[in-house]
Amino acid sequence: MSTDHSPAAESPDLAQLEPEPAAAPAVFGDRIDLARSFAHHLATTGVEWGLLGPRELPRLWTRHILNCAVMAELLDDADVVGDIGSGAGLPGIALAIARPKVRFVLVEAMERRVEWLQMVVADLGLDNVRIVRARVEELVDEEIFTVATARAVKSLPVLIEWCTPVLGPDGRLLAIKGQSYAAEIQKAQKHIKRFRLTQPRVHSLGQDVLEVPTTVVELQRR
């Protein structure tokens, strides 16, 4: 696989970057500077390496960083979180900044994305994060998570099939979903029963931070 790090065809126009929302410091607390550094990486190297489209810059904070970080309230300090298909570290890195006591494993199969994640995690000094280059299906019997997170990876039935085998007893799947979440839940009913999961809880998060709250579908092993 190529490791060429040449810039994407469209270079980032930082003049288009969304200003930091006033609510961001309330979400990240005394780690807001790390969140700002992450935002800078997304807007520069993230675009140059092709992990994020340049058209996302005008909504980088609200649509991506804060959209993910508000999920932090669903985590416990003792959790070990597997971020499945981590890509540009969304939600994994955003959550790792917001919750420094929680341990995170960023699971990503593509070499280019793994190299970018390694660079960003090292630059931010996130000692609660490690990165595994693999597909989640390859980690059965190698990794056990108390929580699996996913955003813009696969449909809910596929996520259930992929993630349940790497969840410990009472482990939870937290999937950030869009407006079609109800239809996905309906289509996932057979998988929910087959993998012995509880019926989904749907969380609407960040209502005091985001114009469009984050929808998270939570399923738990029985």
Side-chain angles (χ1 to χ4, degrees), residues 15-64:
Q16 299 296 315
L17 180 60
E18 178 184 25
E20 178 188 314
V27 174
F28 289 103
D30 61 3
R31 290 165 70 82
I32 184 61
D33 284 343
L34 287 176
R36 290 166 180 155
S37 295
F38 180 43
H40 182 73
H41 264 296
L42 287 171
T44 55
T45 59
V47 173
E48 291 163 0
W49 288 39
L51 277 80
L52 195 75
R55 294 178 183 176
E56 297 303 310
L57 295 189
R59 55 181 191 170
L60 182 66
W61 279 95
T62 51
R63 179 66 182 86
H64 296 286

Side-chain angles (χ1 to χ4, degrees), residues 23 26-27 70 73 205-211 213:
V27 174
V70 294
E73 68 179 74
L205 306 174
Q207 296 185 28
D208 55 344
V209 176
L210 301 167
E211 184 175 339

Side-chain angles (χ1 to χ4, degrees), residues 42-212:
L42 287 171
T44 55
T45 59
V47 173
E48 291 163 0
W49 288 39
L51 277 80
L52 195 75
R55 294 178 183 176
E56 297 303 310
L57 295 189
R59 55 181 191 170
L60 182 66
W61 279 95
T62 51
R63 179 66 182 86
H64 296 286
I65 299 172
L66 292 179
N67 173 264
C68 294
V70 294
M71 193 164 64
E73 68 179 74
L74 299 181
L75 302 178
D76 298 321
D77 284 349
D79 277 327
V80 178
V81 179
D83 187 37
I84 309 306
S86 196
L90 298 164
I93 290 179
L95 289 171
I97 294 171
R99 295 297 300 268
K101 293 183 180 180
V102 179
R103 289 180 290 161
F104 291 86
V105 181
L106 310 185
V107 180
E108 174 55 56
M110 293 184 63
E111 182 178 16
R112 187 184 188 86
R113 295 176 180 177
V114 167
E115 291 179 355
W116 185 86
L117 290 169
Q118 290 170 335
M119 176 182 69
V120 173
V121 167
D123 184 56
L124 299 182
L126 297 176
D127 57 9
N128 61 329
V129 175
R130 65 186 171 90
I131 301 160
V132 174
R133 186 187 175 195
R135 299 183 184 278
V136 65
E137 311 97 295
E138 301 168 348
L139 298 181
V140 178
D141 299 328
E142 293 187 18
E143 301 277 356
I144 293 291
F145 307 122
T146 62
V147 174
T149 57
R151 178 181 187 261
V153 178
K154 289 289 185 179
S155 67
L156 199 55
V158 176
L159 285 176
I160 290 171
E161 190 166 339
W162 283 4
C163 296
T164 307
V166 295
L167 289 175
D170 300 318
R172 296 178 294 147
L173 170 61
L174 300 177
I176 297 178
K177 289 295 177 183
Q179 295 180 345
S180 62
Y181 73 88
E184 286 198 43
I185 289 173
Q186 188 61 36
K187 290 180 180 178
Q189 286 302 312
K190 289 183 179 179
H191 286 73
I192 291 170
K193 183 177 181 181
R194 174 185 166 196
F195 286 94
R196 299 178 60 81
L197 302 175
T198 60
Q199 280 300 311
R201 295 179 60 193
V202 179
H203 303 272
S204 183
L205 306 174
Q207 296 185 28
D208 55 344
V209 176
L210 301 167
E211 184 175 339
V212 179

